Amino acid sequence: MSHKATGLRARRVALSTAVAAVLGTAVPAVSQELEEVIVTATKRAESVNDVPLAITALSGDFIMTTNLNDVKDLVAYTPGVSGNSQDSFIDAISVRGVRTQDFGIGGDPSSGFFKNDLYEGRNGAVVTSLYDMERAEILRGPQNFLFGRNAIGGAFSVYTNKAEIGSSDAYIDFDVGQRGHLVTEGAINIPVNDNFAMRLAGYYSQEDGFARNVNGNRNRDEIEHEKWALRWSTTFETEKLSLRTHVEYEDRVQSGSMYRAIDQGDIWETFDEFITSDATLGGSSEDLDSDISHGEADDATVATFGLFVEYDLGFATLISNTGYKDHDYYYSEDYDGTPLDINTYQQDQAGDYFQQEFRLISNSDGPLNWYTGLSYYREEIDTTFTFIGREDFFCQFYGNAYNPGYDFTGCADLYAYYGYEWENTGNGLLTEPGRIVGKYTGWSAYATADYDITDTLNLELGVRYTEDKKDFAIEVYEPESALGSYWAYGFNTDGFISETQTWDDTNLRAMLTWTPTEDGMFFASYTEGFKSGGYSSFFLVDAAGQTPEAGSTISQSDGFRPADFNPEVADSYEIGYKDSYLGGAGNFDLTAFMYDYEGLQIVYLPGEGGAGVVGNVGQVDGYGLEASTTVALNDNWTLYLAAGYLNTEANGIEDICGAEDPLACEGSPLFWAPEWTGAARLDANFPIAGGAITGSFEASYESERGGDWSGVPENYIDPFTIVNLRVGYESDSNWYVRAYAENLFDEFTWDGQNLNGGIIPSHFFGPMRPLTFGVMAGMSWD
């Protein structure tokens, strides 16, 4: 059924209960019956109640009415998932504590993001807007068996509305709010003939900044955006053949991440001692004081092409999934988060991605069912990373650090102290650019079979083989500064330094399902996870693992190579229970899990400078519990509750501890993942003549997080709860109007934090969008 196919009357029911379909719950209608929700998380079309996985499914109506703008906004309503941020990076996304900190391009994300079964890619390309949506499915735990592409933490899979043969539905929605907030989206379905249809959808969104920057050179509100997107979809169907295509283009211009240095604690005191210029932060602890003299940007154009073919062979269905994605991306931020020009980070990136998957699914009605598949991908990416800072600040910090008791104000007096004359380059900047070119390919083959041992007991076994090959080359240009290659890389190169490696693994999955009643289901599973190895984007090593001499020029013949890291592997165990209650008026879901995770790919600072190296560090043992329920309380009220608990313990992390006693960090939790996450939504629907009064009260919660491995007290982010309120009227004549207040109690928090050191102080990034009032209105046609 398309987004507006049954008109506003059907949508009104969905809007009042759209929060359903989470962790196996379905959408309860106001008549206190549960509507079946179909998902394809297991590569088959199944009711979400029959899927033996920890899965959150959100309807397209829920996505629209809750103002979920891009894929990362799904985090707030998914227990066990955290790390949303207001940029095009996904390195902060954590699923049950599993995440990737690496912001370079030599590795891969820990969570796979997919749109219409096509892999979305990496930072800069992965975040696409949500409009004209059918549904979203978020799966927790290792999912590379089902999805491939290193989804060792989990998978986010969203589906747009397809062109429907025989339907001529259309809709348009408007959203106007504070700070110049304006969003409009719409779609029209065009039935061409009995076998072919097209669908056109469009989207536009803009909003002015809301994060106050008190910096004298800026003194304005940050974190604004303007973006638009278009999508053309087609469907062709015969008795045995289904062929679907989509072409999508998105253009977005928005702010890069915004930081505020943490101006307390040992790291800040060291920074403040050695920087003789005034680095005092202005404003309150909730304001920014950020020098953005080199600009701030998070701009991308993304084009996607998809072809999905399904053919009924009788004994099985053959599926072909073909996709191509091209993107251009430019990013700039003030990473130090201070009023001084110390570290601007920029990324100029272009890349394309091709994938092809063939899948064969049995059509058997017997006790044995199976599916098998073969997939291939090719990615080419070309990125220039640039680090910019004022030379005098480097001379201040490191001059004073190495020569206690002196107050060097810049490079001139530092060089004079050593008996040299400072050669001014003209603009006073240390600009260190480096370029990376990557060509990555991989393939995998998988097969799974499930057998009905009895009428109520089913066993599923599967195996998947994966191979990834990466051709990686780095070239670092010599800065036009007398300081030379000092901070970001510590070296420059005479041409590209390259290497090629291949990683492979075989993963197993076993699942036992018992359905003692018509609605009740117990399941238990064991899944092996795998995430490919890769390369650090800013480091070279020789055969002995040593880095180049500071300021040296390296060529391919010098025996240095890009620093590589090994794959991650995980063993995950789950047991779960799904059932309905109150005669079908409610659904309940409970999942317990545990995992051991080896070879974490962690970004850390091995010395005083540099942009960080990625290495395999230690092991994490984790366990937790996730639960949700959706219940139609009566004909007018529907309640959804969800919560997740996570306990993790990391060992073997002495190399990245950051404390005076490295063993003090043993047993530390994954500091970026909150121990508790939760969400709730209460929906109301009161019919009146000609329509209904509708409303919803929404809340999402995260407990304390941060502090880093050594528990730095000033780096913690306090617990927070975000509350939204929506009230509206929906007419039987296919139009609606709705007022809302998002972040109703104007809660302040940060998206995340980073522990740094040396010339870069630790900082928070964000901040949270404040209280926002707005009005939505729309109309649909059948």
Side-chain angles (χ1 to χ4, degrees):
M1 182 179 297
S2 65
H3 182 60
K4 300 286 198 295
T6 58
L8 204 68
R9 185 172 304 176
R11 192 178 70 181
R12 185 178 64 242
V13 174
L15 295 186
S16 66
T17 59
V19 49
V22 179
L23 279 173
T25 56
V27 179
V30 292
S31 60
Q32 291 188 296
E33 296 178 357
L34 293 178
E35 179 183 349
E36 186 177 46
V37 176
I38 303 300
V39 296
T40 57
T42 60
K43 306 303 182 183
R44 298 174 181 272
E46 297 179 278
S47 168
V48 70
N49 293 321
D50 298 330
V51 177
L53 297 170
I55 177 175
T56 295
L58 302 174
S59 73
D61 288 302
F62 176 79
I63 291 170
M64 185 196 70
T65 59
T66 315
N67 282 351
L68 303 184
N69 296 312
D70 63 52
V71 290
K72 293 193 297 182
D73 288 343
L74 302 172
V75 165
Y77 294 91
T78 310
V81 181
S82 62
N84 192 7
S85 59
Q86 298 162 87
D87 53 31
S88 296
F89 284 75
I90 56 173
D91 51 322
I93 295 291
S94 162
V95 182
R96 293 178 174 172
V98 178
R99 64 171 276 201
T100 295
Q101 295 176 295
D102 184 15
F103 57 90
I105 64 169
D108 296 287
S110 290
S111 294
F113 287 76
F114 302 83
K115 192 172 189 178
N116 295 322
D117 289 325
L118 302 180
Y119 185 62
E120 285 287 85
R122 59 182 65 253
N123 291 331
V126 63
V127 179
T128 55
S129 299
L130 301 178
Y131 65 100
D132 195 34
M133 300 301 299
E134 179 184 302
R135 70 184 188 281
E137 302 173 13
I138 306 98
L139 294 90
R140 297 177 297 284
Q143 300 300 326
N144 47 286
F145 182 85
L146 292 171
F147 290 89
R149 293 307 294 121
N150 303 308
I152 192 171
F156 292 69
S157 189
V158 300
Y159 296 87
T160 62
N161 284 311
K162 306 173 184 65
E164 288 197 3
I165 295 173
S167 173
S168 58
D169 71 291
Y171 78 95
I172 188 167
D173 290 305
F174 295 95
D175 177 5
V176 180
Q178 289 179 281
R179 298 180 300 278
H181 175 78
L182 172 63
V183 180
T184 181
E185 70 168 86
I188 182 171
N189 203 87
I190 305 171
V192 178
N193 56 42
D194 292 342
N195 301 104
F196 183 69
M198 299 187 298
R199 187 175 184 89
L200 299 175
Y203 171 84
Y204 175 82
S205 176
Q206 72 169 39
E207 185 172 327
D208 297 334
F210 60 81
R212 182 175 178 238
N213 188 356
V214 299
N215 186 267
N217 296 328
R218 189 74 170 173
N219 196 22
R220 52 157 287 176
D221 291 332
E222 312 286 2
I223 311 185
E224 67 272 12
H225 76 261
E226 182 176 15
K227 53 186 178 178
W228 61 271
L230 294 172
R231 184 188 308 121
W232 176 49
S233 307
T234 69
T235 297
F236 174 80
E237 290 182 353
T238 65
E239 183 178 354
K240 292 189 174 183
L241 175 67
S242 173
L243 188 152
R244 298 196 305 273
T245 69
H246 69 268
V247 178
E248 185 170 23
Y249 181 84
E250 178 162 346
D251 183 294
R252 63 177 178 269
V253 177
Q254 58 188 29
S255 296
S257 287
M258 296 295 167
Y259 300 87
R260 180 180 175 92
I262 300 174
D263 55 350
Q264 55 182 314
D266 293 341
I267 292 175
W268 176 264
E269 289 176 3
T270 300
F271 167 82
D272 196 39
E273 177 184 358
F274 297 145
I275 290 288
T276 55
S277 297
D278 185 11
T280 304
L281 299 182
S284 73
S285 60
E286 298 182 0
D287 292 327
L288 308 170
D289 189 358
S290 183
D291 165 68
I292 315 181
S293 56
H294 304 291
E296 49 84 24
D298 185 344
D299 305 340
T301 58
V302 183
T304 308
F305 308 86
L307 170 63
F308 188 88
V309 181
E310 184 174 326
Y311 188 78
D312 186 355
L313 299 173
F315 75 98
T317 299
L318 176 64
I319 295 174
S320 171
N321 192 347
T322 308
Y324 175 80
K325 187 169 188 175
D326 181 86
H327 77 276
D328 289 286
Y329 180 58
Y330 176 73
Y331 184 83
S332 181
E333 68 179 16
D334 173 38
Y335 186 75
D336 58 271
T338 75
L340 305 180
D341 183 8
I342 293 176
N343 190 308
T344 293
Y345 167 76
Q346 296 178 343
Q347 181 172 335
D348 193 353
Q349 175 176 302
D352 63 76
Y353 187 93
F354 170 80
Q355 74 169 62
Q356 175 63 58
E357 181 179 22
F358 294 104
R359 192 162 62 243
L360 194 63
I361 303 176
S362 69
N363 292 332
S364 171
D365 292 329
L368 177 65
N369 288 279
W370 52 268
Y371 66 83
T372 185
L374 183 68
S375 65
Y376 168 82
Y377 77 88
R378 186 205 72 238
E379 179 182 15
E380 296 187 5
I381 190 160
D382 189 335
T383 305
T384 297
F385 297 94
T386 304
F387 301 84
I388 306 171
R390 189 152 295 278
E391 294 166 328
D392 282 342
F393 294 138
F394 289 94
C395 291
Q396 286 179 25
F397 185 90
Y398 291 106
N400 293 320
Y402 293 136
N403 302 277
Y406 291 86
D407 289 326
F408 297 109
T409 60
C411 294
D413 55 347
L414 174 63
Y415 271 57
Y417 171 80
Y418 284 104
Y420 299 100
E421 183 178 351
W422 170 246
E423 298 179 10
N424 198 318
T425 60
N427 63 7
L429 298 176
L430 173 60
T431 301
E432 299 181 86
R435 181 184 175 197
I436 295 175
V437 175
K439 295 182 179 180
Y440 310 145
T441 59
W443 68 276
S444 63
Y446 57 90
T448 188
D450 65 87
Y451 184 77
D452 293 329
I453 301 173
T454 69
D455 290 342
T456 61
L457 190 65
N458 179 272
L459 175 65
E460 179 179 328
L461 298 174
V463 60
R464 184 180 190 121
Y465 174 80
T466 300
E467 180 180 286
D468 289 292
K469 178 182 177 182
K470 292 185 176 180
D471 298 316
F472 183 88
I474 178 172
E475 181 177 25
V476 178
Y477 308 107
E478 184 174 4
E480 295 181 1
S481 169
L483 288 179
S485 301
Y486 179 70
W487 163 250
Y489 296 92
F491 62 88
N492 55 272
T493 66
D494 182 10
F496 279 102
I497 308 294
S498 63
E499 187 178 73
T500 300
Q501 282 204 51
T502 299
W503 298 271
D504 68 297
D505 198 19
T506 299
N507 301 133
L508 303 176
R509 187 178 74 153
M511 186 174 299
L512 189 66
T513 305
W514 180 44
T515 53
T517 65
E518 182 177 353
D519 298 319
M521 178 179 68
F522 293 88
F523 64 89
S525 67
Y526 166 74
T527 304
E528 294 178 342
F530 169 75
K531 179 186 170 190
S532 177
Y535 293 95
S536 293
S537 295
F538 312 104
F539 244 67
L540 296 179
V541 294
D542 62 15
Q546 299 299 308
T547 59
E549 182 180 348
S552 58
T553 300
I554 305 299
S555 64
Q556 184 78 58
S557 61
D558 290 328
F560 286 91
R561 59 182 177 80
D564 64 300
F565 49 87
N566 294 321
E568 295 177 337
V569 294
D571 293 310
S572 176
Y573 308 84
E574 284 187 2
I575 57 173
Y577 174 58
K578 299 183 179 185
D579 207 345
S580 62
Y581 59 96
L582 295 179
N587 271 342
F588 175 79
D589 188 290
L590 179 67
T591 303
F593 64 88
M594 61 179 291
Y595 63 77
D596 56 80
Y597 197 98
E598 296 184 2
L600 280 76
Q601 297 169 1
I602 296 292
V603 179
Y604 62 97
L605 299 176
E608 295 176 341
V613 61
V614 184
N616 299 95
V617 181
Q619 173 180 325
V620 173
D621 296 314
Y623 64 88
L625 192 67
E626 297 156 349
S628 77
T629 183
T630 304
V631 56
L633 302 174
N634 54 39
D635 287 347
N636 305 114
W637 298 96
T638 302
L639 177 66
Y640 158 64
L641 297 171
Y645 169 76
L646 175 67
N647 184 290
T648 58
E649 181 179 300
N651 292 287
I653 58 173
E654 55 270 14
D655 290 341
I656 60 171
C657 174
E660 291 185 7
D661 177 10
L663 295 179
C665 298
E666 292 297 282
S668 296
L670 297 176
F671 60 84
W672 52 76
E675 185 177 22
W676 289 96
T677 56
R681 176 160 169 162
L682 180 65
D683 284 275
N685 185 299
F686 289 88
I688 60 175
I693 300 295
T694 63
S696 65
F697 183 85
E698 309 150 7
S700 59
Y701 169 81
E702 288 187 13
S703 61
E704 181 184 68
R705 57 192 167 97
D708 298 282
W709 300 111
S710 54
V712 180
E714 58 269 12
N715 281 33
Y716 280 97
I717 297 175
D718 292 334
F720 66 89
T721 302
I722 304 299
V723 172
N724 305 322
L725 178 65
R726 309 178 198 277
V727 179
Y729 172 78
E730 303 201 16
S731 168
D732 293 337
S733 302
N734 290 4
W735 61 269
Y736 77 95
V737 62
R738 182 184 308 112
Y740 63 83
E742 295 177 339
N743 195 359
L744 179 64
F745 300 121
D746 203 20
E747 178 87 334
F748 179 88
T749 188
W750 298 97
D751 292 338
Q753 52 82 227
N754 290 316
L755 177 70
N756 294 306
I759 197 172
I760 304 296
S762 300
H763 54 229
F764 295 115
F765 61 88
M768 178 67 69
R769 186 170 178 253
L771 170 64
T772 302
F773 293 103
V775 177
M776 299 180 67
M779 179 171 288
S780 63
W781 299 267
D782 296 334

